[in-house]
């Protein structure tokens, strides 16, 4: 603060025009307010097909520094002129901040110690899998920031640029991870592509070059491969250090990757002696690359054959509970903090249970982004705002008089628990810990008050609810962009007559949507749910084989009368197109023809009609009733064309003009018409899991109101209106 920042600028120019070029590059830096704060330029002469890299520096006085708490971004506008005419321009978002590591003080952001409170994440969300719309990236980043998370690790792949854009604008540090260890050209090329793509993002603070390379991470071969990758990373990006996520290391003299890595990465404090490593290597910076791997199921408070309880009790042998790992790191500033495995549950790697589980249960949030109770443990100790959370829910029919394990996550100094207005005791909250009571169950209100310096600062309650009575729909955003891409993430809650979420509800809910939008996915966070996340039309499909083909070789391809609908091909020789190759020799051409008879019902019942060939070798032009339906130029792939608009009841002609270039070619591997019935109306549905489910609605390119309604047997219908606007609605709000 109070100083100035030197911004290093590079522009790679290539002259694509046939003659020489006189290029001038102008750089303008716009501050967070949008005003120009610095500018410079450079010029060069390029020959035809020539390339050059121009470099300059620009000084920004009194820069506004980027951080997760204040994600202030700048914009670099690069303009290229040739002979005074603008020929290209590019806008690049970047930030100004410093990142460093100190062996004793840990990670430093803008010169100050900054503890990493991070999560590891795959790109995966209920309803859409890994194909996340940009708005959903933002939704997930906001969820993590609400918890107090200030960093993510993109385990174990390079991140999509849209995720980094969200982290830049909303404020999350990123450990950007490379897929695998390797010094061969292909892997180095992948690493180079990643660094060039992502190095301007201020959120990226370190490169992770590999994860848990079991067999080589502690030997000389692994060290050499890692060193080659690290040297390339430093060459491409001198501003950041590199680490490796290691699940084994020496507590004495370092070995393998530890001998060359800029920053030592630790996966799981129970795997080796972290304190011993630090004592033996006092000059080596460190960071926790992966921790916890504890198990939780949202809304479940007993361990069963299919679910783990949401209490912070369950962990694998190599892992730690939230409280165990965080207490350890909080007491060791040199360790820089760490990344929890994981922020969100994700598909695959079902843990701790096998089938019928279909996703992990490591997440602090489930696959929908609904918080599990442990979310509030982290929020208690990762934020400064008052937090007080009670668990479990208070719906235990038939359990009156039974002892219930009640716990509180809070960051106030003391917590007092009440049952139906009676105090059950006041306890001091140990730092980075939790409080616990054994309470004999009776229906009603379980409540708590939090005190700091003797004053009440917060309170909370859980109540015994009534039976499910209605559905409530709650959008994360009710005004969205009519661009065919923007989304609203809608919580589906089953509530009682008082509007309270019923924490044990499992009702099957049906959804109906009207207006310029569509549902793209549903979910509920249940790790053993086998309900469909995406609705697929059960449209009937039936094929019609096309077997009676005739062929005539032709001298050239131009203006062939043989493709006309009424052309008489009865004297042509028959040909079998089901063969694997041939019959055309290199550089031969031919016209293939066949006919098919269709009824009015054949066409009326079909939503689409596809004309499919197993192979057209090498190039082909397909005509239906004399009209060009399409062309094919890849002999290794089948060729498919949508042809319903060219067909009519009665006799139809199909012609294919083929040119073979090499080996034996022609129309091969069969041909058919495929009739797909008109799809049925969408029948979206999902059961709520412990009271909650989720629907993701995407806009169409047209503006207008979108109405989503939800129905379930015996429940009052729920509804919500989304306003889809043609003028942009700002998505990136910190």
């Amino acid at each position: 603060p109070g100083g100035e920042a030197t911004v290093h600028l590079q522009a790679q120019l290539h002259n694509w025009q046939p003659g020489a070029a006189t290029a001038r590059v102008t750089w303008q830096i716009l501050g967070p307010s949008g005003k120009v704060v610095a500018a410079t330029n450079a010029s060069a002469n390029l020959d035809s097909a020539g390339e050059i890299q121009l470099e300059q520096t620009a000084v920004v006085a009194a820069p506004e520094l980027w951080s997760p708490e204040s994600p202030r971004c700048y914009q670099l506008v690069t303009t290229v002129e040739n002979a005074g005419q603008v020929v290209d321009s590019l806008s690049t978002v970047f930030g100004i901040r410093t990142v460093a590591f100190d062996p004793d003080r840990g990670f430093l952001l803008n010169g100050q110690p900054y503890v990493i409170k991070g999560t590891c994440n795959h790109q995966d969300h209920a309803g859409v899998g890994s194909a996340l719309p940009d708005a959903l990236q933002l939704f997930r980043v906001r969820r993590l920031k609400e918890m107090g998370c200030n960093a993510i690790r993109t385990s174990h792949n390079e991140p999509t640029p849209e995720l980094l854009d969200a982290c830049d604008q909303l404020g999350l540090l990123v450990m950007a991870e490379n897929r695998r260890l390797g010094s061969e050209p292909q892997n180095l090329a992948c690493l180079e592509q990643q660094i060039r793509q992502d190095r301007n993002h201020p959120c990226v603070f370190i490169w992770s070059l590999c994860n848990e390379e079991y067999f080589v991470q502690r030997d000389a071969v692994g060290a050499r491969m890692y060193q080659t990758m690290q040297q390339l990373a430093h060459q491409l990006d001198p501003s950041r250090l590199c680490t490796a996520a290691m699940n084994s290391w020496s507590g004495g003299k370092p070995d393998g990757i530890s001998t060359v890595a800029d920053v030592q990465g630790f996966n799981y404090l129970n795997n080796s002696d972290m304190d011993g490593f630090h004592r033996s290597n006092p000059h080596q910076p460190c960071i926790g690359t992966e921790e916890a791997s504890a198990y939780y199921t949202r809304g479940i408070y007993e361990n069963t054959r299919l679910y783990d309880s949401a209490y912070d009790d369950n962990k694998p042998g190599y892992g730690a509970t939230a409280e165990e790992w965080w207490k350890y790191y909080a007491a060791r500033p040199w360790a820089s903090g760490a990344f929890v495995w994981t922020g969100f549950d994700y598909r695959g790697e079902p843990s701790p249970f096998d089938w019928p589980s279909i996703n992990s249960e490591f997440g602090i949030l489930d696959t929908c982004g609904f918080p599990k109770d442990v979310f509030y443990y982290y929020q208690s100790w990762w934020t400064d705002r008052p937090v007080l959370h009670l668990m479990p829910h208070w719906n235990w029919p038939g359990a009156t008089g039974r002892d219930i394990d009640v716990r509180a996550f809070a960051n106030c100094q003391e917590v007092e628990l009440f049952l139906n207005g009676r105090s059950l005791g006041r306890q001091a909250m140990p730092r980075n810990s939790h409080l616990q009571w054994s309470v004999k169950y009776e229906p009603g209100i379980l409540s708590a008050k939090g005190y700091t310096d003797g004053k009440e600062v917060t309170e909370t309650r859980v109540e015994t609810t009534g039976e499910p009575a209605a559905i409530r729909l709650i959008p994360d955003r009710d005004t969205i962009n009519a661009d065919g891409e923007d989304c609203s993430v809608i919580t589906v809650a089953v509530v009682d007559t008082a509007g309270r979420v019923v924490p044990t509800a499992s009702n099957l809910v049906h959804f109906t949507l009207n207006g310029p939008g569509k549902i793209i996915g549903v979910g509920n966070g249940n790790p053993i749910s086998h309900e469909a996340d995406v609705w697929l039309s059960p449209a009937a499909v039936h094929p019609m084989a096309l077997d009676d083909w005739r062929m005539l070789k032709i001298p050239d391809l131009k203006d062939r009368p043989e493709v006309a609908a009424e052309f008489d091909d009865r004297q042509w020789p028959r040909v079998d197109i089901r063969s694997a190759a041939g019959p055309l020799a290199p550089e031969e051409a031919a016209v293939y023809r066949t006919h098919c008879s269709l009824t009015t019902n054949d066409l009326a019942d079909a939503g689409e009609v596809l004309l499919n060939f197993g192979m057209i070798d090498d190039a082909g032009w397909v005509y239906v009733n004399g009209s060009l339906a399409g062309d094919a130029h890849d002999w290794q792939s089948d060729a498919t064309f949508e042809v319903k608009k060219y067909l009519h009841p009665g006799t139809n002609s199909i012609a294919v003009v083929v040119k073979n270039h090499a080996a034996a070619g022609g129309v091969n591997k069969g041909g058919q018409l495929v009739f797909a019935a008109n799809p049925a109306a969408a029948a979206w549905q999902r059961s709520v899991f412990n009271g909650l489910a989720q629907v993701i609605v995407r806009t169409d390119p047209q503006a207008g109101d979108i109405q989503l309604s939800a129905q379930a047997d015996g429940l009052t219908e729920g509804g919500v209106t989304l306003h889809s606007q043609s003028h942009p609605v700002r998505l990136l709000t910190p």
Side-chain angles (χ1 to χ4, degrees):
E4 61 183 28
T6 300
V7 182
H8 295 264
L9 308 169
Q10 292 181 351
Q12 190 79 25
L13 302 182
H14 185 99
N15 181 19
W16 296 101
Q17 62 185 27
T22 300
R24 174 184 170 88
V25 176
T26 301
W27 291 280
Q28 280 192 323
I29 297 176
L30 281 61
S33 67
K35 295 181 179 180
V36 176
V37 296
T40 188
N41 62 77
S43 299
N45 296 318
L46 286 84
D47 295 331
S48 177
E51 270 193 37
I52 192 172
Q53 180 170 286
L54 296 182
E55 299 190 19
Q56 262 293 9
T57 59
V59 174
V60 176
E64 298 180 61
L65 301 184
W66 186 96
S67 71
E69 292 71 32
S70 180
R72 310 292 287 170
C73 289
Y74 287 73
Q75 185 179 13
L76 174 68
V77 179
T78 304
T79 305
V80 182
E81 299 176 47
N82 178 32
Q85 298 294 316
V86 174
V87 295
D88 203 358
S89 64
L90 181 68
S91 178
T92 305
V93 174
F94 72 100
I96 298 174
R97 84 287 180 272
T98 64
V99 292
F101 284 85
D102 183 275
D104 298 315
R105 302 166 71 201
F107 172 60
L108 307 177
L109 177 63
N110 297 323
Q112 298 299 317
Y114 193 88
V115 178
I116 295 299
K117 303 168 183 175
T119 63
C120 302
N121 293 290
H122 291 321
Q123 180 167 302
D124 175 51
H125 195 89
V128 296
S130 60
L132 267 65
D134 296 354
L136 200 47
Q137 301 280 13
L138 296 164
F139 172 85
R140 287 161 64 88
V141 169
R142 290 190 182 100
R143 276 284 197 264
L144 293 174
K145 285 186 67 71
E146 180 187 351
M147 181 178 72
C149 177
N150 61 20
I152 59 172
R153 171 178 168 229
T154 62
S155 48
H156 304 290
N157 298 278
E158 66 175 274
T160 183
E162 291 77 12
L163 172 60
L164 297 185
D165 290 341
C167 291
D168 285 342
Q169 300 292 328
L170 297 180
L172 272 187
L173 288 160
V174 176
M175 175 181 285
E177 190 151 276
N178 168 67
R179 178 67 186 92
R180 65 184 181 89
L181 182 69
S183 55
E184 77 281 10
Q186 181 182 13
N187 197 55
L188 293 178
C190 290
L191 177 62
E192 179 172 354
Q193 182 273 334
Q194 177 183 355
I195 293 176
R196 287 187 180 277
Q197 173 180 282
D198 298 341
R199 62 187 175 181
N200 288 322
H201 289 279
C203 63
V204 176
F205 76 103
I206 192 171
W207 305 108
S208 174
L209 300 185
C210 62
N211 171 70
E212 295 186 355
E213 294 285 352
Y214 297 91
F215 302 108
V216 295
Q217 63 188 359
R218 294 192 60 183
D219 64 24
V221 174
R224 288 195 299 271
M225 289 191 291
Y226 182 91
Q227 190 167 35
T228 299
M229 296 174 70
Q230 184 170 265
Q231 287 171 346
L232 175 62
H234 288 167
Q235 174 188 335
L236 295 167
D237 177 18
S239 70
R240 296 177 180 90
L241 299 181
C242 299
T243 190
M246 297 176 62
N247 61 332
S248 177
W249 56 87
S250 170
K253 184 178 179 181
D255 52 22
I257 290 174
S258 297
T259 64
V260 294
D262 295 329
V263 180
Q264 172 68 31
F266 298 116
N267 278 16
Y268 302 103
L269 60 92
N270 292 331
N271 274 340
S272 298
D273 183 4
M274 283 178 57
D275 288 329
F277 181 94
H278 182 57
R279 285 193 301 270
S280 301
N281 306 278
H283 304 298
Q284 173 80 321
C286 300
I287 189 169
T289 39
E290 188 170 316
E291 269 303 342
S293 279
Y295 306 128
Y296 320 89
T297 307
R298 176 180 59 80
I300 299 293
Y301 298 99
E302 297 177 300
N303 289 337
T304 71
R305 187 178 63 85
L306 298 175
Y307 298 119
D308 263 335
S309 80
Y311 295 120
D312 187 26
D313 291 338
N314 302 297
K315 61 179 182 178
Y318 62 86
T321 65
E323 188 169 322
E324 286 171 346
W325 87 262
W326 177 242
K327 281 183 174 180
Y328 183 93
Y329 273 84
R332 292 162 174 79
W334 54 265
S336 300
F339 296 86
V340 179
W341 190 267
T342 52
F344 297 85
D345 284 347
Y346 55 92
R347 286 172 179 79
E349 199 172 26
S351 302
F353 305 109
D354 294 324
W355 186 264
S357 289
I358 57 172
N359 62 251
S360 79
E361 296 187 55
F362 296 117
I364 301 169
L365 303 104
D366 67 17
T367 54
C368 293
F370 294 131
K372 304 178 186 179
D373 291 274
V374 73
F375 177 98
Y376 300 97
Y377 171 81
Y378 288 109
Q379 192 180 65
S380 296
W381 305 114
W382 284 6
T383 72
D384 294 327
R385 59 183 177 272
V387 177
L388 176 55
H389 175 78
L390 283 179
M391 57 191 293
H393 60 69
W394 211 239
N395 279 31
W396 301 99
T400 299
R402 172 181 151 192
D403 287 334
I404 303 293
D405 184 358
V406 174
R407 303 189 194 185
F409 293 139
N411 53 11
C412 40
Q413 293 173 350
E414 295 178 298
V415 174
E416 186 173 8
L417 187 68
F418 300 85
L419 178 59
N420 293 323
R422 304 188 308 274
S423 176
L424 302 182
R426 185 162 165 171
Q427 298 186 41
M429 173 64 75
R431 184 157 184 80
N432 297 319
S433 189
H434 72 282
L435 294 177
Q436 192 165 354
W437 293 261
S438 180
V439 178
K440 291 193 179 299
Y441 178 73
E442 62 182 58
I445 299 174
L446 182 72
S447 61
K449 294 181 179 181
Y451 304 89
T452 296
D453 296 330
K455 297 180 180 180
E456 182 182 329
V457 293
T458 185
E459 62 178 327
T460 191
R461 62 169 57 188
V462 290
E463 300 182 44
T464 306
T465 72
E467 293 299 312
I471 304 169
R472 180 188 298 165
L473 300 181
I474 309 161
D476 76 312
R477 297 162 52 238
D478 59 13
T479 301
I480 50 182
N481 293 320
D483 57 8
E485 298 180 3
D486 199 8
C487 296
S488 180
V489 183
I490 299 162
T491 296
V492 182
V494 170
V495 299
D496 66 5
T497 55
R500 300 169 297 191
V501 175
V502 181
T504 55
S506 58
N507 305 72
L508 177 63
V509 182
H510 303 270
F511 304 102
T512 305
L513 185 140
N514 292 293
K518 56 179 61 69
I519 298 172
I520 61 172
V522 294
N524 61 14
N526 183 353
I528 65 168
S529 174
H530 291 204
E531 297 177 73
D533 280 15
V534 175
W535 182 84
L536 299 175
S537 169
V541 174
H542 69 271
M544 175 186 289
L546 300 172
D547 293 329
D548 187 19
W549 287 86
R550 297 171 185 264
M551 183 195 80
L552 180 70
K553 292 184 180 180
I554 56 176
D556 59 66
L557 303 176
K558 188 176 181 181
D559 300 327
R560 301 311 310 181
E562 298 89 349
V563 303
E566 303 302 327
F567 187 87
D568 186 356
D569 56 31
R570 288 176 293 178
Q571 302 305 312
W572 290 11
R574 284 184 166 84
V575 62
D576 185 1
I577 72 167
R578 294 172 297 181
S579 58
L584 300 181
E587 299 307 321
E588 283 191 326
V591 177
Y592 289 71
R593 286 181 64 90
T594 192
H595 303 267
C596 63
S597 294
L598 302 176
T599 68
T600 300
N601 288 340
D602 287 334
L603 297 174
D605 294 341
E608 62 180 5
V609 182
L610 303 178
L611 174 58
N612 173 261
F613 297 97
M615 180 170 68
I616 297 178
D617 185 5
D618 285 289
W621 292 262
V622 177
Y623 295 82
V624 177
N625 290 323
S627 296
L628 180 65
D631 52 89
H633 301 275
D634 183 1
W635 65 272
Q636 299 181 87
S637 302
D638 65 352
T640 301
F641 310 90
E642 212 295 312
V643 297
K644 182 180 179 181
K645 66 181 179 180
Y646 305 113
L647 299 170
H648 55 69
T651 300
N652 296 263
S653 71
I654 298 172
V656 185
V657 179
V658 181
K659 177 64 182 289
N660 181 43
H661 298 303
V667 179
N668 304 122
K669 299 185 179 179
Q672 61 182 352
L673 284 174
V674 179
F675 296 81
N678 287 303
W684 288 94
Q685 62 183 33
R686 190 68 167 194
S687 298
V688 298
F689 177 58
N690 293 328
L692 300 176
Q694 185 177 87
V695 181
I696 303 171
V697 173
R698 189 183 69 199
T699 60
D700 287 340
Q702 298 81 33
D705 284 350
I706 303 168
Q707 287 87 30
L708 177 70
S709 59
Q711 307 86 27
D713 291 343
L715 303 184
T716 301
E717 179 177 311
V720 67
T721 298
L722 306 176
H723 307 289
S724 178
Q725 299 187 357
S726 56
H727 59 276
V729 179
R730 179 171 170 80
L731 303 182
L732 295 169
T733 302

